[in-house]
Amino acid sequence: MDIIDKRIDDGKAFDWGRTSSDYAKFRDIYPPVFYQKIVDRGLCVAPQRVLDLGTGTGVLPRNMYRFGAAWTGTDISPEQIEQAQRLSEEAGMNIEYQAVSAENIDFSPESFDVITACQCFWYFDHEKVLPHLSKLLKRNGKLLILYMAWLPEDDVIAGKSEALVLKYNPKWSGAGETRHPIWIPDVAYKNFTLREHEEYDVKVPFTQESWHGRMKACRGVGASLNAEELSSWEEEHKALLKTLPQQFDILHYAALAVLEKIDG
């Protein structure tokens, strides 16, 4: 399913379904502290019901399943949902998944204690989605927005890999990340109050294979390059990786924002 949005990559089409197998294998990379900061805030734990928007391959619900919340995950890509279901079933986890866009989710009012959006919030039509999310949350319900990105200016390997993505996909708007609070559109404050935000650095371990897979599974590569471009990118990136140690850390920053439903 091609997605075209002028806000993203200058409207260049991308399709997460094209990279779902790599996404399932290589993008489950959040360190333990990422999840612990959620739990420390009393979010996504038993007996709460949680809706994970843009769940992808179910990374967030699968990793937080042990904390006892009842999870539902949705994603616009059927292929991503297929991988999420497979991985959850293999792990013996009872997680409900639906292939549906955030703009078209359909649940009863006040169904959830928490709604999460990890690595996906900027894709949404906020004018449409945010009022609807407010209706789906129970009284004092929370909207938790999560993000993690490598820092190309501070990490040499990340910087070189990112430069190679831009060589083949110069319109990719995911480049050049710096530390900053998660962006919250003004429309959100009609239905939510920003309770807190936090930004912090993390070092994420990789091997040559897993870093190559992580880069391939990003929107600017596997989801948007054609077959010829992807083959050339892979060849060049593997050549770059051969100059590196077999194992290394990549510096990232992580961020979260907790918004609380305004009850009127």
Side-chain angles (χ1 to χ4, degrees):
M1 176 191 298
D2 277 347
I3 300 171
I4 299 175
D5 187 330
K6 285 296 292 182
R7 301 173 302 170
I8 301 166
D9 303 343
D10 197 29
K12 181 179 175 68
F14 61 96
D15 176 5
W16 289 117
R18 292 167 52 188
T19 190
S20 289
S21 59
D22 286 316
Y23 203 111
K25 186 175 181 180
F26 295 113
R27 287 200 61 168
D28 190 348
I29 59 172
Y30 302 115
V33 66
F34 187 87
Y35 302 108
Q36 191 60 49
K37 285 182 178 291
I38 299 171
V39 174
D40 288 346
R41 288 167 167 85
L43 301 175
C44 305
V45 296
Q48 295 170 354
R49 290 194 64 200
V50 185
L51 171 63
D52 185 38
L53 302 174
T55 196
T57 60
V59 171
L60 193 66
R62 287 188 289 107
N63 279 278
M64 298 204 70
Y65 190 80
R66 66 187 184 275
F67 297 109
W71 284 88
T72 299
T74 65
D75 197 279
I76 195 172
S77 168
E79 293 87 356
Q80 294 281 74
I81 290 297
E82 182 180 347
Q83 293 287 348
Q85 290 173 328
R86 177 183 65 82
L87 292 167
S88 298
E89 289 170 3
E90 289 175 355
M93 297 177 179
N94 181 23
I95 300 172
E96 177 188 351
Y97 292 106
Q98 294 184 20
V100 61
S101 70
E103 289 77 11
N104 292 303
I105 53 176
D106 184 19
F107 298 97
S108 300
E110 300 187 4
S111 291
F112 300 100
D113 300 281
V114 183
I115 296 175
T116 56
C118 184
Q119 302 293 111
C120 60
F121 183 69
W122 58 88
Y123 291 112
F124 303 156
D125 178 345
H126 300 110
E127 293 278 350
K128 181 177 181 180
V129 168
L130 286 165
H132 186 51
L133 297 185
S134 176
K135 293 177 182 177
L136 296 182
L137 284 167
K138 298 176 184 178
R139 184 175 180 83
N140 302 126
K142 305 298 192 298
L143 172 60
L144 173 64
I145 306 170
L146 299 156
Y147 185 64
M148 189 175 81
W150 61 76
L151 292 164
E153 296 300 320
D154 297 325
D155 189 284
V156 173
I157 298 173
K160 289 181 177 179
S161 293
E162 185 171 284
L164 190 58
V165 178
L166 290 169
K167 175 181 176 180
Y168 287 92
N169 192 351
K171 294 184 177 181
W172 177 52
S173 55
E177 270 289 0
T178 58
R179 300 171 184 86
H180 59 84
I182 289 173
W183 170 74
I184 308 297
D186 290 342
V187 67
Y189 298 109
K190 295 179 181 179
N191 301 100
F192 293 93
T193 299
L194 178 63
R195 288 303 184 197
E196 63 172 317
H197 65 87
E198 183 180 3
E199 301 78 44
Y200 55 97
D201 284 3
V202 289
K203 289 185 176 180
V204 182
F206 289 93
T207 64
Q208 289 185 17
E209 179 188 15
S210 65
W211 178 243
H212 180 75
R214 167 64 186 95
M215 291 300 301
K216 185 181 177 184
C218 82
R219 188 184 71 242
V221 183
S224 56
L225 297 182
N226 64 38
E228 182 178 352
E229 292 167 338
L230 181 58
S231 177
S232 296
W233 176 86
E234 287 210 77
E235 183 178 350
E236 286 200 54
H237 195 241
K238 287 178 179 179
L240 167 64
L241 292 175
K242 286 181 180 179
T243 68
L244 303 176
Q246 278 295 322
Q247 297 181 332
F248 45 82
D249 291 338
I250 299 290
L251 180 64
H252 289 64
Y253 89 99
L256 62 81
V258 181
L259 290 85
E260 183 174 294
K261 173 182 176 177
I262 297 173
D263 294 301

